[in-house]
Amino acid sequence: MIGRLRGILIEKQPPELLIEVNGIGYEVQMPMSCFYELPNIGEEAIIYTHFVVREDAQLLYGFNTVKERALFREVIKANGVGPKLGLGILSGMTASQFVASVEREDVSTLVKLPGVGKKTAERLVVEMKDRLKGWGAGDLFTPYTDAAPVDSAVQASQSSAEEEAVSALLALGYKPTQASKVVSQVMKPEMTSEQLIREALKSMV
């Protein structure tokens, strides 16, 4: 089982990245709440991973801390929640928002996430409320800030940033029309794809 990777970031295409470790490139999918905290391309990163083996694929999900991975593992234990849905849930909410929603039994906020219907939201609340007791919200994820990392070496054009943002939202489970609409609404000049994704996700929660 692959539990941790330490290597050089080769590509960042939200929500997926490519990290080279001793000459081998690993494709890793990350929740956007973790993706924002990654260093720039060409720099070293340490990623804690959750390895999923299926009949048709072997998938790696990555996190910046052990706590982030632990929360993901708790989320996908919920009935009807798989890794892809877990990725979408932890991309659409910060840790503190998710924990607060579960503690308050705030189903109406949870159903705004891609792929989460009312029954799934209710299951998350029922199954996770006890398991999240004792988890300090501030300990689950690294601090959430409004600053997004910017690759100084290569600045993407506005159109490509918009396309990358829409593509990332589609990968997280949002519908094409919804993804395109919300990205166009939050888009501002000189915004990077990561900034666009952050603002789009914040506007939908």
Side-chain angles (χ1 to χ4, degrees):
M1 183 175 180
I2 302 170
R4 181 178 180 270
L5 296 172
R6 179 177 179 179
I8 304 300
L9 283 176
I10 304 300
E11 295 178 9
K12 292 165 68 178
Q13 289 281 0
E16 189 170 279
L17 62 91
L18 181 66
I19 182 170
E20 182 177 313
V21 182
N22 295 327
I24 300 174
Y26 293 88
E27 292 179 344
V28 183
Q29 296 185 57
M30 290 187 103
M32 290 310 301
S33 51
C34 298
F35 204 97
Y36 300 136
E37 306 296 333
L38 287 172
N40 293 329
I41 290 174
E43 296 183 3
E44 185 179 81
I46 295 175
I47 298 171
Y48 295 91
T49 58
H50 177 77
F51 189 37
V52 174
V53 179
R54 300 191 326 219
E55 289 184 6
D56 59 341
Q58 296 184 27
L59 305 170
L60 274 174
Y61 295 89
F63 310 89
N64 295 326
T65 69
V66 175
K67 276 284 191 182
E68 291 167 348
R69 183 178 64 185
L71 178 60
F72 176 78
R73 287 174 171 172
E74 290 297 332
V75 169
I76 63 176
K77 283 179 186 176
N79 201 6
V81 179
K84 184 176 181 180
L85 183 52
L87 188 76
I89 290 171
L90 297 183
S91 291
M93 282 186 157
T94 65
S96 56
Q97 286 173 330
F98 179 75
V99 174
S101 294
V102 171
E103 288 179 342
R104 294 197 308 263
E105 302 184 12
D106 187 359
V107 172
S108 61
T109 295
L110 293 172
V111 295
K112 294 178 182 177
L113 298 167
V116 179
K118 187 177 180 182
K119 289 184 178 178
T120 301
E122 290 171 346
R123 277 201 301 270
L124 281 168
V125 169
V126 171
E127 295 182 29
M128 297 202 66
K129 194 167 184 180
D130 288 338
R131 294 210 300 266
L132 288 180
K133 284 181 179 176
W135 288 63
D139 296 332
L140 298 178
F141 285 102
T142 48
Y144 186 82
T145 67
D146 287 330
V150 178
D151 292 339
S152 57
V154 181
Q155 288 289 344
S157 68
Q158 193 63 41
S159 60
S160 64
E162 184 178 4
E163 289 170 4
E164 284 183 20
V166 171
S167 177
L169 292 177
L170 294 178
L172 293 171
Y174 288 95
K175 296 178 180 178
T177 52
Q178 184 183 18
S180 298
K181 182 179 179 181
V182 73
V183 168
S184 64
Q185 286 176 341
V186 302
M187 186 173 63
K188 295 178 182 177
E190 307 304 321
M191 287 182 79
T192 65
S193 60
E194 288 178 29
Q195 289 172 321
L196 271 173
I197 296 163
R198 181 198 294 274
E199 292 303 318
L201 289 171
K202 283 169 66 176
S203 72
M204 288 189 284
V205 176

